[in-house]
Amino acid sequence: MNTIAVIGAGTMGNGIAHVFAQSGYQVRLVDLSEEALANALATIEKNLQRLLSKGRIEESTVTETMGRIATSSELQKTVADVDLVVEAASERLDIKLKLFAELDASTPEHCILATNTSSISITQIAAATQRPEQVIGMHFMNPVPVMKLVEVIRGYSTSDQTTTTVLDLSKKLGKIPTEVNDYPGFVANRILMPMINESIETLFHGVAGVQEIDTVMKLGMAHPMGPLQLADFIGLDVCLSILEVMFEGFKNPKYAPCPLLVNMVRAGKLGVKSGEGFYDYSDSKKAEVVSAQFA
């Protein structure tokens, strides 16, 4: 396992590329947008410089890590000889099915196809390929360079060999992998998203304000970040998408998204990335403060 392709250069994709490259792997970061690729490299270097300034890494680590990352907007050529693909594209089933069919046709037979999906069925994604035994979920937490957990999700046909390989690989990245089975939301979001949704319901019904709800959870439950601020950090559109997947998968009303969340997403208030969510991030420094909490 030497060469890794990461598909998608957004927040999760650049974080995944960062940890693989810093761990000594050759990384190919793929995205259709050249701007996204440039921003990803800038983000990775910025995060490495932050670690350097805190004395956690040496200057040589910055140079070597950046040197292991190559970017490309051409998928087929880039993945033709890789050992592992980690997909971190949009959280939409149609996109993932199309992408995995293309990856299946373009990668070597031995290549493992992993997805960073936070809620979509691994079994369903694997069905788009001719190698379902080599398809697996590799759900990193945000921010990837900092958070230790990797949720490793077995699809219905995922082999023991594929699972063992990914568990071992996650440990080599300095992460703590936890194996779970393939049900909507897996473990992390099956528990987290109803909490966030209930926090939004609490706000929606006027029980308390944004600051008050987050303060109760931070001081009363020892959460490092309140659920509404965390929702802003994740992205309200992502939270809505995950809840919709779980609601569709379980047909249980407890997973139905709060109307306030639906309306905020429709209005384009997505959290940190849009400049406004439950909090105002119009000042770029405020967004930097939120991101730095996990640094």
Side-chain angles (χ1 to χ4, degrees):
M1 191 72 67
N2 296 311
T3 307
I4 315 298
V6 178
I7 313 300
T11 300
M12 296 305 293
N14 75 60
I16 294 167
H18 175 160
V19 297
F20 272 106
Q22 191 173 337
S23 300
Y25 295 91
Q26 296 298 318
V27 176
R28 298 174 187 173
L29 183 58
V30 183
D31 199 290
L32 292 175
S33 168
E34 294 289 351
E35 181 182 3
L37 291 169
N39 289 339
L41 289 178
T43 298
I44 293 168
E45 184 163 18
K46 182 179 179 181
N47 289 336
L48 287 167
Q49 290 293 343
R50 182 182 293 143
L51 293 173
L52 177 64
S53 69
K54 294 182 177 181
R56 296 179 185 175
I57 60 174
E58 302 291 333
E59 180 70 47
S60 59
T61 302
V62 178
T63 304
E64 291 167 2
T65 299
M66 295 305 298
R68 295 188 188 106
I69 303 173
T71 61
S72 175
S73 58
E74 297 184 22
L75 178 67
Q76 293 182 357
K77 292 181 181 179
T78 306
V79 302
D81 60 349
V82 299
D83 303 305
L84 169 72
V85 173
V86 182
E87 172 272 322
S90 300
E91 191 73 348
R92 283 176 47 189
L93 178 61
D94 59 335
I95 291 176
K96 293 188 188 297
L97 293 179
K98 181 180 178 181
L99 183 54
F100 270 75
E102 189 173 357
L103 289 170
D104 185 44
S106 304
T107 53
E109 289 185 4
H110 74 275
C111 181
I112 292 174
L113 305 180
T115 173
N116 184 59
T117 182
S118 56
S119 60
I120 296 173
S121 168
I122 307 304
T123 302
Q124 194 170 6
I125 292 172
T129 76
Q130 299 299 313
R131 61 180 92 180
E133 71 283 354
Q134 292 166 235
V135 178
I136 194 166
M138 201 174 185
H139 181 208
F140 291 85
M141 304 295 120
N142 185 26
V144 181
V146 177
M147 302 295 277
K148 289 292 186 182
L149 176 66
V150 176
E151 209 175 16
V152 176
I153 307 104
R154 294 183 69 134
Y156 185 84
S157 300
T158 306
S159 69
D160 290 341
Q161 181 178 350
T162 296
T163 304
T164 299
T165 299
V166 170
L167 288 169
D168 290 344
L169 178 62
S170 299
K171 293 174 184 176
K172 291 176 182 177
L173 298 177
K175 303 300 184 184
I176 300 173
T178 301
E179 182 182 342
V180 304
N181 291 318
D182 186 22
Y183 291 95
F186 315 132
V187 171
N189 282 318
R190 185 170 179 173
I191 295 170
L192 174 63
M193 286 302 154
M195 183 191 74
I196 287 177
N197 199 43
E198 192 62 30
S199 301
I200 300 171
E201 288 278 4
T202 303
L203 176 66
F204 182 53
H205 290 288
V207 178
V210 171
Q211 294 275 6
E212 290 75 15
I213 291 168
D214 278 354
T215 297
V216 167
M217 297 305 291
K218 286 191 288 185
L219 300 186
M221 314 303 166
H223 291 192
M225 181 182 285
L228 298 177
Q229 190 179 21
L230 178 58
D232 276 355
F233 186 77
I234 294 169
L236 302 190
D237 54 336
V238 176
C239 293
L240 177 59
S241 176
I242 295 169
L243 284 165
E244 288 175 336
V245 168
M246 294 199 300
F247 182 55
E248 176 65 24
F250 290 115
K251 301 294 191 297
N252 189 322
K254 75 177 182 180
Y255 298 115
C258 175
L260 175 58
L261 174 62
V262 174
N263 279 341
M264 289 180 72
V265 172
R266 286 175 177 168
K269 301 183 188 300
L270 309 181
V272 175
K273 61 186 172 186
S274 71
E276 184 179 359
F278 293 107
Y279 293 86
D280 179 12
Y281 307 95
S282 54
D283 183 344
S284 61
K285 291 183 180 178
K286 291 181 181 178
E288 182 68 22
V289 167
V290 174
S291 299
Q293 290 195 36
F294 287 117

